[in-house]
């Protein structure tokens, strides 16, 4: 249920409200949730924020790794004498970046 709401609404206040509403409707900790709704929302928001920060960090690290591999592949292709446009096409780097790599490598 929690994952369904997060998938539907993202890590948002709306998702938290829906999760609490569903639990109350199903009488899962209903009394507790009603009495401490604000506190629970604050805690869940903090958890969502922490998860979102971790997710974004992971994506950033993943992207940097992919970019580093693309740059290394581009260097190898340039070293082998491939044209800048072809290197850009297959490394998925912009032509301008591949051109800079070529100049900086003095190939």
């Amino acid at each position: 249920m929690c994952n369904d709401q997060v998938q539907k609404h993202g890590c948002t206040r709306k998702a938290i409200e829906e999760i609490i509403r569903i639990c109350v409707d199903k009488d899962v900790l209903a009394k507790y949730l009603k009495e401490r709704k604000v506190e629970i929302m604050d805690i869940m928001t903090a958890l969502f924020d922490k998860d979102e920060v971790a997710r974004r960090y992971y994506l950033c690290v993943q992207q940097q790794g992919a970019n580093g591999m693309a740059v290394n592949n581009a260097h190898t292709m340039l070293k082998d004498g491939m044209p800048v446009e072809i290197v850009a096409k297959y490394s998925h780097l912009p032509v301008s970046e591949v051109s800079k790599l070529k100049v900086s490598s003095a190939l």
Side-chain angles (χ1 to χ4, degrees):
M1 161 196 38
C2 183
N3 290 339
D4 293 341
Q5 294 307 312
V6 171
Q7 190 173 26
K8 186 175 181 179
H9 302 288
C11 291
T12 63
R13 188 166 189 81
K14 176 71 174 167
I16 297 168
E17 289 172 347
E18 284 298 304
I19 292 165
I20 292 172
R21 184 193 59 76
I22 291 168
C23 288
V24 169
D25 289 351
K26 292 184 177 191
D27 201 27
V28 177
L29 299 171
K31 183 180 178 201
Y32 181 81
L33 290 170
K34 287 178 186 177
E35 291 172 358
R36 299 179 185 258
K37 183 177 180 178
V38 173
E39 180 183 354
I40 292 166
M41 290 197 64
D42 288 345
I43 291 168
M44 289 182 73
T45 299
L47 291 172
F48 277 180
D49 289 347
K50 180 181 170 188
D51 287 348
E52 182 63 15
V53 168
R55 186 186 72 77
R56 286 181 187 216
Y57 174 76
Y58 174 76
L59 290 174
C60 182
V61 168
Q62 199 175 34
Q63 178 63 33
Q64 288 174 345
N67 191 53
M69 189 182 326
V71 169
N72 287 339
N73 290 339
H75 271 294
T76 302
M77 290 187 280
L78 289 169
K79 185 177 171 186
D80 288 347
M82 294 182 77
V84 169
E85 292 76 17
I86 299 296
V87 173
K89 177 180 178 180
Y90 291 108
S91 67
H92 303 286
L93 294 171
V95 171
S96 60
E97 188 172 341
V98 175
S99 295
K100 289 177 188 175
L101 289 173
K102 185 172 182 172
V103 169
S104 69
S105 299
L107 293 175

